[in-house]
Structures are given as C-alpha cells and as structure tokens.
Amino acid sequence: MSTASPVPVLPGNDETGALDRVRALESEYLLQTYARYPLVLDRGKGCYVFDPSGKRYLDFITGIGVNALGHAHPRLVKVIREQAGRLLHSSNLYYNAYQGPLAERLAKASGLQRTFFCNSGAESMEGALKMVRAHGRKIHPDKYETVALHNSFHGRTFGALSITGQEKYRLDFEPLLPGARFVPPNDEVALEQVVSDRTAGIVIELIQGEGGIFPMSTEYVRKARELADRYDALLVFDEIQCGVGRVGRHFAYQLSDPIVLPDVMVAAKPLACGIPLGVIIANERAAKSIGPGMHGSTFGGGPLACRVAIEFMDILDGLLPHIENMGRYFRAQLHDLQRKFSFIREVRGQGLMIGVELSFPGKQLVLDAIEQGLLINCTHDTVLRFLPPYIATEKEIDRAVGILKRVFKLASKRADVHPGDVHQN
Ligand SMILES: *Cc1c(COP(=O)(O)O)cnc(C)c1O
C-alpha cells in the first residue's frame, strides 16, 4: 500500500485530522456548491482509492463514470508522462497529431462522421444545441424548439440547463433559453403531440443517469428517429454518462437491434479516463449546420487529452465483452440481494451502469458503504448508483456485494427510521 513518490505536504495529508483541515479551508474559501461525502481522497490504484491515512476503498463510482480504467492504469500513466514532456497544449490555431486519428476512431466506433472536441459534458451539449439551432434557423426562423425529456440531465450551463427536465436544477436560473419543450420519457404519443415543424432538435439520454438509471425503450427511440425525419429535426443522443463503453457497447444506441442512429451524439465522462475531454459527433447532414467560425474552443482537443483517449479506445475494444459479462454478473448478485431485502424495489441498468432503487432515501447507505470501504453514490434520492471501472472483475464485484450485504443489514436494523419499508420478509 505504500507508494514510492513522496506525498506533497497538502493541508491534511497526514494521518490525523486530514478531513477536518481540508473541510475548514474549503468552507472558508470555496463557493459552497457541493455537499461532499466526508472523505478526502489521496491516491488510487486499479479499482481502489486511498484516503490520507492509507485506508482503502473499492471505487464503484469512479468519479461519476470517469475513471473507466480505474486508477493509475500503466498504459495511461505512460502516455500521459510521455506527452507531458512533449507538448501539453497548442490551441486550435495549429494542427496536432492526435485529433484526426481520434476522430477517425470515433467515426468508426459510432457510425457517424465528424467530431468536434471540447472539454466537458455540458460544453459538448452546448455545442450540440448550437447545431440544433443553426440547423433549424437555416430552414425557418421559427424552427428553434428543442424537445427534451422529463427527468433528464444534460449539464449545468445555460443551454444544457434549459433542456434539463428536472426543476430542482433549473428553478434558480429562470428565465432560461426559450423553445425547450418537455415530454415524459417512453411516451410515444406525448412525443408525437409535441414534435412539429417548429422542432429543430430532439434530445434523449438513452439511459437517464442523474435521473436514476432509467432506460428508454427501443420503440420510443425508433419513434423519435421517425419524428425527427418527418419534421426535419436533428436527433441528439446524450451519451455523456452511458456512452464510450459503459454499457458494453461503444455507445448505448448500439444496444438496440436494428441500431437507431442519431444525427448528433455527445460524449465525455470516460473518454479520456480523467483528463477532461468532451466530443460532439455528427453525421454529414447535421455537420453542415456548423460552418467556419461558428464554434470553437481554446482547450478542446489538446494533444494530451486526445492521445490519452486514443490509448483508451485501443484498450476499450478488447474490454467490451468483459464489461457486458461483468454487468450481467453484478446484476445477478444484486437481484439475489433484492430477494433478501424487501426494501430493494428494483435493479436496473446495462453493462456497468447500474441502479438499485430503494423504498427510502439512500444517503445513509452511501455513508455506511464508505465506512465499510466501498464508494458508490445515490442519485434521484432513492437510487444507489454503481459505475464501476471497466477493469473490475468478479473478485471486486463479490467484494462490493459483500459490503452491500452488510450495509443492507444495517438498514434493516434501522427499521424504526423507515417504518413499513423494511423487515417485510
Ligand atoms: C454528467 C452529465 C452531463 C454534464 O457533464 P459535465 O462534464 O458535468 O458538464 C450531461 N449529461 C449527462 C447525461 C451527464 O451524465
């Protein structure tokens, strides 16, 4: 568990009082935007992270689906070291050697054609929304509506927020972008009623992540494709959380048979395994909406991020069947737990994107899991979310399930807190 490199003298990086000191500084100097779990993370290796005292945690949330190859993956460490000594940044004034090859890889993996590089999920969604607007405007000035789904999450910037179908994120910032129309997910009739000649785009998360791991049905997605074609709107898939291998395919839309292709797709989280990188990938029809000078990014597509993403894509090709198998294995174990603990309402997900819906808020269970050495989180109040690293094996999954069993037992004993919810069998 010891590392060769000396630990920098950060506040709280010794064994005692680390958390208190970090917290004190943050509470004085940070914008108070986050309700963090009481844990300082110091380093990671493989599927594990460590706090400053050296305590080990199995990381089954991976920085919200970002550390796809776990921590300190030797091949990524190697290319990051090499590239850091060669060229970190050059802007988009010039070419670098990595954007073209990465875009080619993404085109082959996605079935779409052209990529734009940026730095985060929300930023990629912003760009996609600009494409939607520009596409509509070329047809008619009144064609600017974007249809999005209740319970969706697309990011914190103004455009992305405007089409995020959860009031709690939007309310403080209204009025937002005009033209957002929300419909309930998986309701083909509602979708048909709202899509019209004024629709410039339809935006869908194929598996709603922040919304609680809710999948869209193939029929629904097919209907969206049909309506987008009928009204000359762009179909946009937000694959920021469910894309780039997470569900055992390169992209979540590849799970359906036959595959329903979007016009535009955005991806980000796992793409460069922790180096910020977002992408918009578009077919030729959608790509035509954006011409020279209409969009850009200073940092986007830098040589470091792109090179890491190429290395990741190389590794990912061989990992896809493993992701699917491990997802199936993990879900089977979770279903076993569901039979033992009646407060588990449902186990949902695909590949290594899994949600466990409880009949009560999950916050305390997440805290208990941390205590027991397992990192997960809770989304949509009652859904425990698991986004394990793609390199997780049955051994790690068994360990996580063992910890979960203890955590669920603790919850059963707290039945007085949730009368009627537990101890039903
Ligand atoms: C995380 C996420 C975003 C926002 O990404 P950021 O990198 O946090 O801006 C957008 N859409 C979905 C589906 C996400 O999961």
Side-chain angles (χ1 to χ4, degrees):
M1 280 189 2
S2 68
T3 47
S5 56
V7 178
V9 187
L10 292 171
N13 230 348
D14 61 25
E15 300 192 8
T16 52
L19 177 62
D20 290 344
R21 279 195 297 282
V22 169
R23 260 184 171 166
L25 264 184
E26 289 206 355
S27 71
E28 194 168 349
Y29 292 110
L30 259 61
L31 265 188
Q32 296 297 296
T33 49
Y34 299 114
R36 302 194 204 278
Y37 297 117
L39 175 64
V40 181
L41 290 180
D42 182 46
R43 64 195 171 86
K45 189 141 186 58
C47 296
Y48 288 90
V49 285
F50 300 83
D51 73 10
S53 76
K55 183 176 169 187
R56 190 172 83 140
Y57 302 83
L58 181 57
D59 187 3
F60 265 31
I61 188 66
T62 55
I64 319 186
V66 169
N67 305 102
L69 297 182
H71 302 273
H73 190 284
R75 282 179 61 178
L76 299 188
V77 171
K78 184 161 177 278
V79 296
I80 289 168
R81 285 216 169 104
E82 212 279 324
Q83 191 59 37
R86 180 184 289 260
L87 185 69
L88 272 184
H89 173 78
S90 55
S91 85
N92 285 298
L93 292 172
Y94 315 102
Y95 296 99
N96 71 50
Y98 305 107
Q99 286 195 18
L102 178 55
E104 183 185 29
R105 294 295 296 268
L106 290 169
K108 287 190 170 141
S110 69
L112 302 173
Q113 187 64 25
R114 294 184 183 274
T115 292
F116 176 84
F117 293 107
C118 57
N119 310 280
S120 72
E123 193 189 349
S124 62
M125 184 47 77
E126 289 298 313
L129 289 173
K130 281 175 75 178
M131 292 176 82
V132 164
R133 279 291 182 90
H135 166 83
R137 200 178 163 76
K138 277 194 184 121
I139 299 165
H140 194 278
D142 289 337
K143 191 177 180 65
Y144 62 85
E145 287 184 358
T146 305
V147 175
L149 306 188
H150 288 309
N151 203 42
S152 61
F153 181 84
H154 299 295
R156 305 286 198 151
T157 51
F158 264 108
L161 202 55
S162 301
I163 57 151
T164 286
Q166 301 188 58
E167 276 219 327
K168 66 178 177 191
Y169 297 111
R170 288 206 316 270
L171 221 50
D172 292 311
F173 306 100
E174 289 181 335
L176 293 166
L177 220 60
R181 303 287 305 269
F182 292 103
V183 288
N186 283 330
D187 184 337
E188 288 150 58
V189 176
L191 189 64
E192 181 137 27
Q193 275 167 358
V194 80
V195 176
S196 73
D197 281 325
R198 298 169 68 95
T199 307
I202 303 171
V203 184
I204 297 177
E205 267 176 282
L206 294 180
I207 303 174
Q208 292 183 332
E210 301 307 303
I213 319 292
F214 279 107
M216 297 305 126
S217 72
T218 304
E219 300 74 53
Y220 185 69
V221 176
R222 209 175 285 142
K223 186 71 178 181
R225 177 71 273 173
E226 181 198 314
L227 290 168
D229 290 340
R230 192 190 308 163
Y231 292 101
D232 199 359
L234 298 181
L235 181 61
V236 181
F237 289 166
D238 180 343
E239 293 247 4
I240 293 167
Q241 191 163 148
C242 60
V244 208
R246 177 58 59 191
V247 300
R249 300 286 189 279
H250 280 107
F251 300 101
Y253 59 81
Q254 293 163 343
L255 285 167
S256 71
D257 184 21
I259 288 173
V260 178
L261 276 175
D263 300 299
V264 181
M265 167 186 42
V266 293
K269 284 184 166 97
L271 187 55
C273 297
I275 305 288
L277 179 64
V279 287
I280 309 167
I281 314 177
N283 62 18
E284 291 287 10
R285 167 170 168 259
K288 278 200 195 81
S289 65
I290 290 283
M294 284 173 71
H295 197 52
S297 166
T298 299
F299 289 110
L304 179 73
C306 286
R307 193 171 164 193
V308 171
I310 292 169
E311 191 73 8
F312 172 49
M313 294 294 285
D314 277 347
I315 298 168
L316 180 62
D317 288 344
L319 268 179
L320 290 173
H322 173 78
I323 294 166
E324 189 174 8
N325 291 337
M326 289 305 102
R328 197 178 301 117
Y329 181 76
F330 194 12
R331 282 194 305 279
Q333 309 269 336
L334 291 169
H335 278 122
D336 280 349
L337 290 181
Q338 186 182 16
R339 282 186 280 278
K340 291 195 181 82
F341 299 96
S342 60
F343 56 79
I344 298 177
R345 288 243 163 100
E346 197 176 19
V347 177
R348 291 189 292 268
Q350 286 285 343
L352 291 173
M353 179 174 187
I354 297 171
V356 170
E357 171 128 27
L358 306 171
S359 59
F360 53 82
K363 174 107 196 279
Q364 186 57 45
L365 274 65
V366 173
L367 291 167
D368 294 343
I370 292 175
E371 192 72 34
Q372 307 268 340
L374 173 67
L375 303 190
I376 57 173
N377 93 333
C378 177
T379 184
H380 221 244
D381 200 35
T382 55
V383 181
L384 298 181
R385 174 170 48 178
F386 303 87
L387 300 169
Y390 301 174
I391 55 169
T393 64
E394 291 183 5
K395 189 172 148 213
E396 281 82 41
I397 290 168
D398 289 345
R399 189 183 171 86
V401 168
I403 294 174
L404 284 171
K405 203 185 269 178
R406 290 205 288 280
V407 167
F408 289 147
K409 271 192 191 140
L410 276 173
S412 306
K413 290 200 185 107
R414 279 195 303 264
D416 50 324
V417 184
H418 314 288
D421 282 336
V422 290
H423 273 331
Q424 284 165 3
N425 59 358

